[in-house]
Amino acid sequence: MSAIDDPPSIAGPAGCAPPTDRRVRRLTVLRWVAVATWAVVVGWRTVDDGFAFNRELLLLYICTGLLAASIGQGRRMFYVIRDWLPFALVLLAYDLSRGAATMVGRPTLWHWQADADRWLFAGTMPTVWLQERLKLPTPPWWEIGISTVYMSFFILPYVIAGVLWLRNRAEWKAFVRLFVGLNFAALIVYVLLPAAPPWAAARCTPADVAGG
């Protein structure tokens, strides 16, 4: 490369790093301080209030963590807002639309799914049978694992989305499309076939359940 092509050097005192290098180091330190502060705050709130199963709070945790991890990374802080705000708004719209079955006047279905289960399993409701045997008066040790797997549904997809966003935004976009599409597909099925929970369908009539 010729001298004309070389970028102009920034003069500074002997033994001192160029201003650009100092700025990068300061931003790196700031990023790690911000990430550590975020981890302490989230950890403290989790210990104090429990895990964030509320979708809005969970997204707030993830987005603030991504913002902290994006300090000094060019336009990545802008990308956090650009990418995650529409994602959050779509999920909010999904939450607001979960009463769509009531709005369109679809009655809750109480019998056909329970009858189908009994027909398939020789008169037994498998979900009720399983709950009656797994839900003991004194929780056994393995119930912790089962409960953890169940509750992970409310947290893990968003954590995976955050990790994918940091690693590869193309993979993140594909994941988000599938996740949102699957949620809305399930919503459409529920609007068309608003089924009562299996335990209620097995034991209750609509009159037994408030709002049934």
Side-chain angles (χ1 to χ4, degrees):
M1 180 181 292
S2 67
I4 296 177
D5 297 324
D6 291 333
S9 60
I10 302 176
C16 293
T20 302
D21 292 343
R22 291 200 299 271
R23 181 175 181 274
V24 169
R25 283 201 294 269
R26 285 198 299 268
L27 288 174
T28 300
V29 171
L30 179 61
R31 179 168 66 250
W32 282 107
V33 170
V35 169
T37 303
W38 172 85
V40 169
V41 171
V42 172
W44 173 75
R45 285 189 56 88
T46 300
V47 171
D48 191 54
D49 297 332
F51 286 102
F53 295 111
N54 177 283
R55 195 201 307 269
E56 290 77 14
L57 180 59
L58 186 58
L59 287 173
L60 178 63
Y61 283 171
I62 292 173
C63 289
T64 51
L66 293 176
L67 285 170
S70 299
I71 293 175
Q73 301 291 316
R75 296 172 60 85
R76 288 193 69 176
M77 295 185 74
F78 167 74
Y79 293 153
V80 173
I81 299 172
R82 187 192 68 178
D83 291 345
W84 284 80
L85 182 59
F87 181 38
L89 291 176
V90 168
L91 293 176
L92 178 61
Y94 168 80
D95 287 338
L96 294 175
S97 64
R98 284 189 293 184
T102 302
M103 290 188 291
V104 299
R106 292 288 298 165
T108 302
L109 303 176
W110 287 86
H111 300 294
W112 74 268
Q113 69 274 23
D115 293 341
D117 277 352
R118 292 191 183 98
W119 180 78
L120 288 171
F121 295 94
T124 300
M125 284 282 289
T127 50
V128 175
W129 182 91
L130 190 63
Q131 286 179 348
E132 289 174 345
R133 284 152 181 79
L134 291 182
K135 195 64 177 176
L136 304 178
T138 302
W141 63 267
W142 41 261
E143 189 169 305
I144 297 175
I146 294 175
S147 299
T148 301
V149 171
Y150 170 75
M151 298 306 293
S152 69
F153 167 79
F154 301 98
I155 297 177
L156 198 56
Y158 308 99
V159 174
I160 291 174
V163 173
L164 287 177
W165 190 90
L166 286 173
R167 289 181 51 192
N168 188 314
R169 288 180 63 243
E171 292 182 358
W172 175 83
K173 290 178 181 178
F175 176 84
V176 165
R177 284 194 295 267
L178 289 173
F179 181 73
V180 171
L182 183 62
N183 275 271
F184 274 95
L187 176 64
I188 291 171
V189 172
Y190 183 74
V191 169
L192 297 176
L193 301 170
W199 64 267
R203 300 176 180 176
C204 308
T205 65
D208 295 327
V209 180

